Amino acid sequence: MTRRNYFKHAMKAVAVLLASTALLASCKEDIDESNLYTFTGETIEDFLTNRSDEYSSFNYILTRIGYDKILSAYGMYTCFAPNNQAVEAYIDSLYDDVSNADLPHNGMTARGLEGLTDSLCKDIALFHLLYTEVMGVNMSNGMTLSTMLGRDINTSIDSISGLTVINRYSAITGMDNELENGVLHEIDHVLQRSNRFVSGEMAENPELFSLFSQALIMTGLADSLTAQKRTDFEEVTSTYNFYVPEECALGYTIFAETDEAFAANGIRNMDDLIAFANKEYADCAKPGSGWYDYYRNKGVEVSTGTDYTNPANTLNMFVRYHILKCKVSYDKLVRTFNEVSKVTLYEYYETMLPNTLFKISRISGKRLINRWVTNSTLTDRVGEEASASIQTVMREGVEVQTNNIQALNGYLHPIKDMLVYDVSVPRGVLNERMRFDDTAIVGEMMSNNFRMISDTEVRALNGGKSGSDGALGGDYIRCPNGFFENLVIYNGNNTRLYYLAGQSNGWSNYQGDEFNCMGAYDFAFRLPPVPDGTYELRMGYTANGNRGMLQFYLGRTPTLSDMKALDIPLDMRHVPSNQTTQNNGVTTYSPDVVTGWLPYLSTEDMGIESDANMHNLGWMRGPLYYTVGKGGSTVARANAQDLRRIITRQQFEQGDYWLRFKTVLPDNTNCQFHLDYIELCPENVYNNPQYVEDMY
């Protein structure tokens, strides 16, 4: 074992605590130097100091805000260090920028390092530092990293040089300098960060988006996509030492046709685009034949007029279907974690066209929007994927280009074809079992980089502490009441809602993560909107003795008086068990008396008959889609604790529905409510007359 590796193992327990304490202290004017320790070996700060001919300028910036001491401390940081020439070129560009009359020269008082303000030094320094150690091999396939500034950077590979590039501009010229307290990557340009909103950033790329940018302006949406953060949520009175965010980041993601994609479809000017929008959307809400159920049910009259700011105008509708109210980078569009190898990865997103979804699939490395496959969640084979004869690709989907562009409050994703909410979306693409990870339901999880965050990052954000709430303990995020737009807590701090990323644990969760709730909980979240139809609403969870009992309610609004109780209370503590008998060496299992569960591999038909029996009792096994833990050998379908509860079978209209969870054991505040995912499955899948719902 090398000295460095020995040091890492020996000091791991205290390194994060001390480093994070120092980090928190560094945000204040006076740094608590009692937590800062130096080494006999080379730290990140030593590396910079010992090469002052190359890095004195960047080190000057770090020193101005006290981060030379931080980078001399215990920890496992990542530093992207620009050389002196890169820093000089960057600060010259800042000083020469007089485009903002209210802040000429970006606030600099003079040309050169000494002319930088303290706030500029802080922004520059923190945008080049990460809380955790990230090696070059992890960045090779494209990666989104959260900096100490709280803003993302994105990696890619330059197709000509083969070098790893940060934010499409800064190449890593010296990779993986492993040091005592982390890793340093040498870069040839200061990392570029946009200070423009998504619409402004789009306008700065006219070679890609001149038409779509005009459409944003004409619809009035360009001026409305300005949200960055909010703090109007309840204070958490007792944190139990878990991390509690102090502000909520907001933002947008725009999927925009490039001018080249428009031209390929005969659209070369705004008149052409307006005509296209009229053709696609004019009849979408027509009584009797329209496919946009939400507008049709409300009697909204779609307009082909010239008031493009009208939300019911066809151009406005076209643009809105391209926008998400959350920030999602390219590499996070479709999540991968513990799925089995043969499945297609996918995610559903709600757009700003009211109550509409689109689906993004990951196929052969590509990200495709609204790929349509017939009978996509049905099968005609026992225990296997469906034969090709029943699953035909009707539409390949709209490809998202890899060169996402980052703005101050979101992302721009160029797309290669026309994206519309036409009849094939509700009647084809979304006519399948739809599974939503719990964190996909609330966009703030993505905007704040919380979804699938590492334990190390949470611990660093939390000053090196790990929380404990009864039997629940670890590096988790405490979610304040009001933090999420689509989640309402009815009884304040009596509902202690936590996010458990689970990326370093062997839990049996879809994508590894979960929401977990303690206390006398009572809360509701807004369900993803689905096209009109009869659906089964299901909840996926893992049962264990630490869980409690709850009652489900459903309403069209989150108002308590609008909520109606569904079914009998669910006891999440019940883990299915079986009686066994032996006959000539053959083990026979009797179904669990509550759920009907038994090991599906012990049956001759791969569990088909017992699936039907469970379904009649209101239960389903966990899906074959993922394993217990990342890379696990046991699939969720074979794990007795993995269950799906069928909450209701009923008609849903495209629009708002709120699902409420209320404990029926309010005096037992140590019970853990567990939510992993939600499924909305249309009747023609769960009750198909010809095929059966697949096991995935």
Side-chain angles (χ1 to χ4, degrees):
M1 182 179 290
T2 65
R3 179 186 178 278
R4 180 175 187 271
N5 287 334
Y6 175 80
F7 171 85
K8 280 190 167 184
H9 284 80
M11 296 306 300
K12 184 176 181 181
V14 296
V16 173
L17 174 62
L18 294 174
S20 302
T21 304
L23 276 172
L24 292 179
S26 72
C27 296
K28 304 174 183 177
E29 186 173 345
D30 298 317
I31 298 173
D32 179 6
E33 298 188 21
S34 64
N35 288 319
L36 303 178
Y37 298 87
T38 55
F39 310 95
T40 56
E42 207 174 35
T43 65
I44 293 175
E45 172 59 22
D46 293 332
F47 182 97
L48 299 172
T49 301
N50 294 339
R51 296 160 184 79
S52 59
D53 57 330
E54 293 183 76
Y55 298 110
S56 59
S57 295
F58 182 60
N59 204 25
Y60 168 87
I61 294 171
L62 293 170
T63 303
R64 278 274 298 272
I65 63 168
Y67 265 65
D68 56 330
K69 297 181 177 66
I70 299 300
L71 297 180
S72 297
Y74 287 139
M76 283 298 140
Y77 310 113
T78 298
C79 174
F80 296 96
N83 58 39
N84 289 342
Q85 293 78 11
V87 173
E88 181 181 357
Y90 180 70
I91 60 176
D92 281 348
S93 71
L94 290 179
Y95 189 79
D96 292 337
D97 179 12
V98 292
S99 59
N100 186 348
D102 296 325
L103 195 67
H105 310 297
N106 289 282
M108 290 182 64
T109 58
R111 185 182 297 277
L113 285 168
E114 290 75 13
L116 291 170
T117 62
D118 288 345
S119 62
L120 274 172
C121 286
K122 182 177 178 181
D123 285 356
I124 295 168
L126 299 191
F127 199 55
H128 289 74
L129 300 173
L130 311 181
Y131 288 114
T132 56
E133 185 181 69
V134 179
M135 306 302 291
V137 65
N138 302 115
M139 295 185 281
S140 60
N141 292 321
M143 193 177 187
T144 299
L145 303 168
S146 184
T147 69
M148 289 186 187
L149 188 61
R151 294 183 58 180
D152 293 346
I153 55 176
N154 299 279
T155 74
S156 59
I157 301 298
D158 183 81
S159 59
I160 298 175
S161 68
L163 295 175
T164 300
V165 178
I166 312 295
N167 283 4
R168 302 187 304 153
Y169 183 69
S170 303
I172 298 179
T173 55
M175 185 176 283
D176 292 347
N177 294 285
E178 294 190 69
L179 303 165
E180 295 282 18
N181 60 346
V183 62
L184 182 145
H185 304 291
E186 302 166 76
I187 56 177
D188 64 353
H189 291 86
V190 171
L191 297 182
Q192 299 291 301
R193 63 190 190 284
S194 172
N195 288 316
R196 291 180 286 265
F197 294 132
V198 284
S199 55
E201 190 63 38
M202 178 173 283
E204 289 294 312
N205 288 271
E207 72 285 357
L208 288 174
F209 303 121
S210 65
L211 271 181
F212 201 98
S213 183
Q214 290 181 60
L216 266 183
I217 294 169
M218 290 174 63
T219 56
L221 290 166
D223 295 330
S224 66
L225 304 179
T226 58
Q228 296 182 72
K229 62 182 179 181
R230 46 187 278 275
T231 57
D232 58 338
F233 44 84
E234 287 187 15
E235 180 182 358
V236 173
T237 57
S238 182
T239 67
Y240 292 83
N241 282 329
F242 289 101
Y243 170 66
V244 181
E246 295 181 355
E247 62 182 31
C248 179
L250 303 173
Y252 309 91
T253 302
I254 303 178
F255 299 84
E257 290 89 350
T258 62
D259 288 353
E260 182 180 356
F262 278 134
N265 286 273
I267 300 171
R268 293 177 172 80
N269 53 50
M270 284 308 302
D271 288 340
D272 291 342
L273 181 54
I274 292 167
F276 176 85
N278 289 342
K279 176 175 68 74
E280 293 294 332
Y281 285 98
D283 296 329
C284 68
K286 188 175 181 180
S289 60
W291 59 91
Y292 184 16
D293 302 327
Y294 177 69
Y295 269 14
R296 190 192 66 244
N297 294 340
K298 290 175 66 70
V300 174
E301 184 175 345
V302 174
S303 170
T304 57
T306 57
D307 180 7
Y308 304 113
T309 63
N310 176 4
N313 177 272
T314 55
L315 181 64
N316 196 293
M317 294 170 67
F318 172 83
V319 173
R320 284 179 183 270
Y321 192 60
H322 292 66
I323 307 174
L324 313 180
K325 284 182 64 177
C326 59
K327 298 187 290 187
V328 194
S329 60
Y330 180 86
D331 68 303
K332 294 183 178 180
L333 288 174
V334 182
R335 299 293 178 143
T336 177
F337 184 67
N338 59 341
E339 69 281 349
V340 298
S341 59
K342 63 175 63 177
V343 299
T344 297
L345 298 172
Y346 60 87
E347 296 277 0
Y348 302 94
Y349 290 96
E350 183 172 0
T351 81
M352 286 186 64
L353 180 63
N355 290 288
T356 61
L357 301 172
F358 64 56
K359 178 183 181 182
I360 302 186
S361 305
R362 185 169 172 172
I363 305 290
S364 301
K366 298 179 180 179
R367 311 299 188 268
L368 303 174
I369 306 177
N370 286 343
R371 177 179 170 87
W372 176 19
V373 180
T374 59
N375 299 313
S376 56
T377 53
L378 291 165
T379 185
D380 57 348
R381 296 179 177 178
V382 175
E384 298 181 19
E385 293 179 288
S387 61
S389 61
I390 74 163
Q391 292 191 336
T392 304
V393 178
M394 303 296 292
R395 181 176 294 177
E396 286 292 339
V398 177
E399 184 177 351
V400 183
Q401 295 181 194
T402 60
N403 57 324
N404 57 192
I405 300 170
Q406 189 181 18
L408 175 63
N409 65 338
Y411 283 94
L412 308 175
H413 296 296
I415 57 177
K416 295 185 177 182
D417 206 346
M418 305 302 293
L419 176 61
V420 292
Y421 187 75
D422 61 16
V423 67
S424 73
V425 179
R427 306 292 189 262
V429 177
L430 303 179
N431 188 21
E432 63 181 10
R433 176 192 61 237
M434 289 172 277
R435 182 177 299 138
F436 302 85
D437 186 73
D438 50 9
T439 54
I441 295 171
V442 282
E444 292 88 350
M445 291 298 295
M446 289 165 277
S447 294
N448 287 272
N449 290 313
F450 289 162
R451 190 176 181 191
M452 302 181 77
I453 191 172
S454 71
D455 291 349
T456 304
E457 289 176 289
V458 176
R459 198 177 311 125
L461 290 170
N462 199 31
K465 302 188 302 293
S466 294
S468 179
D469 187 352
L472 184 71
D475 298 303
Y476 310 141
I477 296 172
R478 174 79 184 273
C479 305
N481 185 17
F483 189 82
F484 303 116
E485 179 182 1
N486 289 333
L487 192 149
V488 173
I489 295 174
Y490 296 111
N491 57 353
N493 282 281
N494 287 323
T495 296
R496 305 192 296 275
L497 183 65
Y498 299 103
Y499 173 65
L500 285 58
Q503 303 307 290
S504 58
N505 294 282
W507 299 332
S508 187
N509 286 337
Y510 177 56
Q511 298 185 353
D513 60 357
E514 65 183 60
F515 275 129
N516 203 303
C517 200
M518 301 286 287
Y521 58 83
D522 188 1
F523 70 100
F525 65 72
R526 178 176 169 272
L527 293 172
V530 292
D532 283 9
T534 300
Y535 291 84
E536 278 188 350
L537 171 62
R538 309 163 179 168
M539 183 184 82
Y541 72 100
T542 55
N544 70 47
N546 291 324
R547 311 294 191 215
M549 293 182 65
L550 73 146
Q551 178 66 54
F552 297 108
Y553 299 80
L554 190 67
R556 297 304 302 264
T557 74
T559 305
L560 286 174
S561 60
D562 191 35
M563 295 281 183
K564 293 181 173 58
L566 299 173
D567 203 14
I568 61 174
L570 169 64
D571 189 347
M572 303 178 77
R573 298 168 299 183
H574 177 76
V575 178
S577 62
N578 307 115
Q579 298 293 324
T580 61
T581 58
Q582 299 287 331
N583 186 15
N584 296 325
V586 177
T587 303
T588 302
Y589 296 85
S590 60
D592 175 66
V593 294
V594 175
T595 65
W597 189 95
L598 52 77
Y600 82 98
L601 292 174
S602 69
T603 66
E604 294 182 355
D605 64 353
M606 299 292 288
I608 297 295
E609 182 179 355
S610 62
D611 281 342
N613 293 336
M614 289 185 67
H615 202 264
N616 290 335
L617 293 170
W619 299 92
M620 296 179 68
R621 292 181 172 87
L624 193 57
Y625 187 93
Y626 63 90
T627 62
V628 179
K630 185 175 183 179
S633 58
T634 301
V635 293
R637 179 171 170 81
N639 183 27
Q641 292 179 267
D642 272 287
L643 293 168
R644 283 176 279 183
R645 178 62 175 170
I646 300 169
I647 300 172
T648 185
R649 297 185 188 100
Q650 67 172 66
Q651 176 74 21
F652 283 82
E653 292 184 347
Q654 188 175 27
D656 289 353
Y657 288 87
W658 289 77
L659 182 63
R660 178 187 177 196
F661 309 89
K662 186 178 188 299
T663 181
V664 296
L665 302 173
D667 295 331
N668 189 347
T669 58
N670 285 325
C671 288
Q672 299 178 17
F673 168 79
H674 174 261
L675 173 62
D676 188 10
Y677 58 90
I678 288 290
E679 290 182 352
L680 282 154
C681 184
E683 185 177 25
N684 73 299
V685 174
Y686 72 78
N687 194 28
N688 191 282
Q690 188 173 4
Y691 307 119
V692 296
E693 183 179 349
D694 66 34
M695 298 178 182
Y696 295 92

